[in-house]
Structure formats: C-alpha cells, structure tokens
Amino acid sequence: MRLNIQNFQLAAQSSLPRFVYDYVAGGAEDELCLARNQADLQALTLAPRSLRDTSALSTEIEVFGRRWSAPFGVAPVGLIDVVRPRGDLHAARAAGKAGLPYILSTASNSPLEQVREACAGPCWMQLYVMQDRGMANSILDRARQTGFEALVLTVDVPVGGYREKDIRHGFKLPFRPGPRLLLDMASQPRWLWHQALAGQPQFVNLMPTEGASSAQAQAALLARSMDRRLIWDDVSWLRSKWDGPVLIKGVLHPEDARQALHYGVDGLIVSNHGGRQLDCAPSTISVLPQIMDIVKTQMPVFIDSGFRRGSDVAKAIACGATGAFLGRAVAYGLAQGGEQGVAQVLGLVAQELERTMVLLGASCPADLAQCLVSSTK
Ligand code: FNR
C-alpha cells in the first residue's frame, strides 16, 4: 500500500534501473544538502490554534490571476523521460486535472507546445540561459506563442553539480551505455520495454527547430556550459522578451531577494535544486524567514527542495511562503504509473495538507500564518 511519498520512493527504487533511480534521488557530493532539506523541515513544529471552525475548509489560492486548487505544484525536472517516456506529458496532464501548476524544464523531452496543450492548469516555462542566447530566445518565443503563463529563470546552475552517483554509473550525455549500464537496464524489463518503444530521450526544446538534430548533438549542446556571465542586469533583457510574470528560481540569500525586488521580478522560488548543486548550501526552509523579512508581501515567494508531505507545505506557508513545489515526489509517482501515479502523489499531498490544516485550526492557507512555528533543533 502506498500511503505516503516515502512509499512511492521505495517503489521507484525497486522498479527503476539503479542509475535512473540515482539520477532522480541523488544529490551533489556528500548529499549533505539533500539530507539537510528534509531534516530541517522535519525539525519544524507548528502549534495549532484551538476551537476554530474549519467546516468550510478551502486550500485554494490565487497566483498571477489564476486559481490553484492547493498551494503547491510541480517543479521542473529535466530528462524526465528516463523515468517514463513522455513523462512531461503524463505529469502535466495530472497536474492540470488536479488544478495545480506545472513548470516545464528547459531540459524537457516533450515539445513544449504539446505539454501546454496537455496541461489544463497554470503552465510555466523554466529557462536555463546558455552561452548561445539564440536558444533562450527560441524557447521564449515558442513559450510565449503557446501560452505559457510565466517564466522561471533558474539561477543555481552556472555549472553542473558534482553528482558522484551519476559519474560512478557512467551516466552522462550523450548516452552510450557500457556493459554495466546495460546489465542495470536489463534488470528492469518493464522499464526497458517502455524505453525501447520510445527511443532515446531528446532535448527537443533546446533546438531552434524541433527534431533538427541527433540526440548526440543535442546532448553536446546541453553540455556546452551555461552562460556564467549572466547577471542581474540580464533580467531587463528577459523582461524585454517576456510580457508575463518572471520568477527567479534558486535564490537562497536575503540580499538576492532584495535585488530581485529592485529588478522588478514578479516572484521567487527559494530553492537549492533539491540538494543537487551546492552541497554546502543551507536548507531552503532555514533561509525562508530571512527572505520573507525583506520581501514581505511585495511578491509571491515559493519554495522547494525536500518537500514530501502536506505538512511540509503547511510549514512553508506558516513561514510566509505562498506555496511549495515538488520535484522528486512527482518523479516517483511517474515511475509508478505515469499520469495516474502522478495524480496519486498530488492527491496524497493535497489530502495531507487538508488534514493538517484542520488539525491546525486553519480554514484557508492564509490562516496558517497564525500558527506558532518552532524548531526542535
Ligand atoms: C531537477 N531540478 C531542475 N530544476 C530546474 O530548474 N530545471 C531542471 O531541468 C531541473 N532538473 C531536475 C532533474 C531532476 C532529476 C531533479 C530531481 C530535479 C530541480 C527541481 O526543479 C527542484 O528544485 C527540486 O527537485 C526540488 O527538490 P525535491 O522536491 O526534489 O526534493
């Protein structure tokens, strides 16, 4: 029985080849940041308010003029087709049906036009800016024409994190599996069958013209380093290319929250990439209060990294966040049954959040701000 996200994770561990599971579940270097995210969330306690009428509970929020059924959504996960072919489409469909937002990765494997069509809910585009600005321009044009509602600029990958598990497995792009990886793949015939039918995942949204190049050439493009000259002034360049809201994902320092306000950014996603980048980074929940001290109510602040329970979402909102995003939890659901698996994961977290809110005496997400937040650390 899958009663929680941890159960989905264990099921993914036994149904995916080891290298795929480690690609999703792993973190950078010693995986300290990965562990810190969850440990710091778990250490927080919320003291409930008593004797409150919660009979008319609603988890809904409104963000940039769109209604979300609950204050959480799906974070961008690149190369998701190694978990399940057409993974972006499955996950976007499930999120849309649940009334939750979906963020599509630059490194996604389904054409962004198809994902936008599959997603009935709010759909945002995540952007990595590479040295070749033509690629960013092309994604921006396509995303705008297709009706993506917001742009999420990820800023915590000026260089790829040092993920030792991937290196040890020999999992790198372009993907040329050696004997060890082939054995690993053969150990999961069901997974192999799905993958064999679909063919090797391609980074279709990185190409100016869809399908214009081989998987190898695309992988080489991705490997070509990110644009490390990207600075705050470039937000103005993005602004000139994008009419809708612009969010910055990967901010951890309060002074960067101040910069974001200065440059007219519309929202933040406080993130350490789920512990996949800077291993000595703080957990996101630990820096959220300082960021909220600066931002106050001037723009929505979202958070991700380590969120596995509805109560984690409640904790973030009690600390001032507008909502949270889930990365790996969704990938684990996808591994267990495509769209249906993702729907189960999202439904589980929504139910947990509702129950937590009733127990806390909160009728709506805004009420969570009245809880007393403490830490057992
Ligand atoms: C990611 N993440 C990510 N973020 C991003 O902006 N663009 C991307 O392409 C990816 N790709 C990606 C792949 C995989 C396998 C994972 C697990 C994560 C980071 C993601 O959006 C999010 O910040 C974290 O996943 C949040 O942490 P949790 O929920 O996974 O603990």
Side-chain angles (χ1 to χ4, degrees), residues 12-181:
Q13 189 170 20
S14 48
S15 68
L16 292 172
R18 188 63 203 244
F19 81 95
V20 176
Y21 174 75
D22 282 346
Y23 165 65
V24 174
E29 298 182 358
D30 298 313
E31 303 191 332
L32 299 174
C33 182
L34 178 72
R36 203 175 290 129
N37 282 328
Q38 270 185 273
D40 285 359
L41 271 168
Q42 284 168 357
L44 281 194
T45 59
L46 299 177
R49 299 303 308 267
S50 304
L51 291 172
R52 298 273 179 126
D53 179 358
T54 57
S55 56
L57 180 97
S58 168
T59 56
E60 284 183 16
I61 59 168
E62 199 184 298
V63 178
F64 304 137
R66 289 294 303 270
R67 192 191 71 90
W68 298 13
S69 65
F72 67 90
V74 180
V77 172
L79 194 56
I80 203 167
D81 279 23
V82 289
V83 175
R84 174 95 175 201
R86 302 167 74 75
D88 298 300
L89 293 171
H90 287 292
R93 215 171 274 128
K97 285 182 187 166
L100 296 170
Y102 186 79
I103 310 181
L104 181 67
S105 164
T106 292
S108 46
N109 306 123
S110 297
L112 60 87
E113 292 79 5
Q114 287 181 21
V115 176
R116 176 63 276 200
E117 204 182 317
C119 183
C123 208
W124 297 356
M125 186 73 215
Q126 179 263 324
L127 185 70
Y128 283 133
V129 176
M130 275 157 278
Q131 285 172 19
D132 174 1
R133 291 276 169 109
M135 263 187 284
N137 280 328
S138 155
I139 288 183
L140 289 169
D141 285 348
R142 287 171 63 194
R144 190 183 336 97
Q145 279 161 20
T146 323
F148 278 78
E149 294 152 45
L151 186 74
V152 177
L153 176 69
T154 297
V155 296
D156 56 7
V157 189
V159 65
Y162 190 63
R163 295 178 210 133
E164 297 175 14
K165 285 176 176 157
D166 291 352
I167 298 168
R168 205 163 285 129
H169 287 305
F171 179 43
K172 58 175 196 265
L173 299 169
F175 187 49
R176 289 198 199 89
R180 229 183 100 198
L181 271 193

